[in-house]
């Protein structure tokens, strides 16, 4: 046999007489190794942003999307940089292509603007709206996706549940307990009678940065698959009122 590396991914391939040949190998590659890519419309981004967004979904993100497909109520917890917002947008995009009536909501105006840039505003079945707009909306929804759920006032949850079209409608809440203002994930899981899953892989930071921030977290710790990076510099300051170091 002959060792070759004709594929875009480099591994040994043994070719025997009467084997599949180069066209057969290419066909096998197309079936088994074609990468899964985000459906978010990349044409809405500047050229600089396209390269950053046109990335493969990680295994944990694909697993999260798969679990969402079989659960009607789900709390997805993860620290900063684990890709919660990417999954939320991907879920909205996939569901929107199925002609479902979808609400994508959050408390943050800045995050709403980011959603609209990523997904556009042309599809009438996708409603990118604030929490206040959601609870007052005239429609009900097949799917409600809420990002930064830890910031939602506890009194709003009954109204949000009331905006589900039926018992089979989905409510998916992404949150970070480390940024929680009102409740942690366990509280929300109980309140919504939801299943909770955790995203634990940090996709944003270097290994040394994650090592530092994990010491500051009270929620689930994250691992990182990025480069080792430079040693971060910490600045310790004191609260003006209490004098306590923060």
């Amino acid at each position: 046999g002959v060792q070759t590396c004709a594929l875009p991914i480099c591994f040994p391939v043994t070719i025997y007489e009467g084997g599949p040949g180069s066209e057969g190998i290419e066909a096998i590659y197309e079936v088994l190794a074609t990468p899964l890519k985000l459906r978010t419309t990349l044409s809405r981004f500047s050229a600089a942003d396209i390269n950053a967004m046109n990335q493969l979904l990680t295994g944990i993100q694909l697993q999260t999307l798969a679990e969402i497909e079989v659960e009607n109520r789900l709390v997805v917890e993860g620290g900063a940089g684990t890709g919660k917002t990417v999954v939320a947008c991907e879920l909205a995009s996939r569901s929107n292509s199925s002609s479902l009536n979808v609400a994508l909501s959050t408390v943050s105006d800045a995050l709403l603007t980011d959603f609209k840039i990523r997904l556009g505003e042309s599809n009438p079945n996708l409603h990118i709206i604030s929490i206040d707009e959601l609870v007052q909306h005239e429609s009900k929804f097949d799917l409600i996706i809420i990002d930064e759920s830890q910031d939602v006032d506890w009194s709003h949850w009954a109204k949000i549940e009331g905006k589900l079209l039926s018992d089979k409608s989905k409510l998916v809440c992404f949150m970070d307990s480390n940024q929680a203002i009102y409740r942690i994930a366990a509280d929300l899981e109980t309140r919504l009678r939801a299943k909770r899953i955790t995203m634990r892989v940090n996709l944003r930071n270097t290994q040394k940065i994650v090592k530092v921030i994990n010491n500051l977290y009270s929620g689930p710790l994250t691992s990182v698959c990025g480069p080792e990076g430079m040693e971060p510099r910490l600045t310790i300051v004191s609260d003006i009122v209490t004098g306590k170091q923060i």
Side-chain angles (χ1 to χ4, degrees), residues 16-233:
Y16 298 98
E17 184 178 354
S22 59
E23 292 184 359
I25 292 295
E26 183 177 351
I28 293 171
Y29 175 78
E30 288 294 325
V31 173
L32 299 180
T34 300
L36 295 168
K37 293 191 176 182
L38 296 171
R39 295 187 186 182
T40 303
T41 306
L42 297 178
S43 60
R44 299 185 181 277
F45 290 83
S46 67
D49 290 328
I50 288 178
N51 185 55
M53 284 301 301
N54 189 20
Q55 301 296 323
L56 306 182
L57 286 167
T58 66
I60 187 63
Q61 289 171 324
L62 288 170
Q63 180 183 354
T64 301
L65 287 166
E67 291 199 47
I68 289 171
E69 290 181 1
V70 298
E71 297 290 340
N72 286 342
R73 299 206 177 194
L74 200 62
V75 173
V76 183
E77 184 180 19
T82 53
K84 300 184 300 298
T85 297
V86 171
V87 174
C89 287
E90 178 69 2
L91 175 61
S93 180
R94 292 186 179 196
S95 301
N96 190 42
S97 65
S98 302
S99 300
L100 297 175
N101 200 30
V102 180
L104 177 59
S105 185
T106 187
V107 172
S108 167
D109 290 337
L111 191 51
L112 281 175
T113 300
D114 182 56
F115 288 157
K116 292 173 183 178
I117 293 172
R118 291 174 186 250
L119 298 168
E121 301 178 74
S122 61
N123 195 308
N125 292 328
L126 177 57
H127 305 264
I128 302 175
I129 51 181
S130 69
I131 295 296
D132 288 337
E133 290 172 326
L134 172 60
V135 298
Q136 298 173 20
H137 206 279
E138 60 184 13
S139 300
K140 292 194 174 185
F141 301 95
D142 299 291
L143 169 64
I144 296 176
I145 306 165
I146 300 179
D147 200 5
E148 305 293 356
S149 297
Q150 73 278 350
D151 296 339
V152 176
D153 190 291
W154 201 245
S155 65
H156 281 327
W157 286 109
K159 297 175 183 178
I160 292 171
E161 289 180 296
K163 290 300 175 181
L164 294 169
L165 187 62
S166 70
D167 293 339
K168 295 182 179 180
S169 300
K170 291 181 179 291
L171 175 59
V172 183
C173 304
F174 295 84
M175 71 175 298
D176 182 356
S177 290
N178 296 289
Q179 302 178 38
I181 297 175
Y182 297 104
R183 295 291 192 278
I184 61 174
D187 294 333
L188 190 57
E189 176 189 8
T190 301
R191 170 64 183 82
L192 299 178
R193 304 177 302 282
K195 179 179 179 180
R196 175 162 46 123
I197 60 176
T198 304
M199 300 177 69
R200 296 183 180 273
V201 180
N202 187 300
L203 305 171
R204 182 186 302 166
N205 302 120
T206 64
Q207 295 177 32
K208 289 190 175 181
I209 289 177
V210 169
K211 184 178 180 180
V212 171
I213 63 177
N214 274 346
N215 292 328
L216 305 175
Y217 272 12
S218 58
L221 301 181
T222 59
S223 58
V224 62
C225 54
E228 184 178 7
M230 299 175 62
E231 197 70 39
R233 185 176 66 180

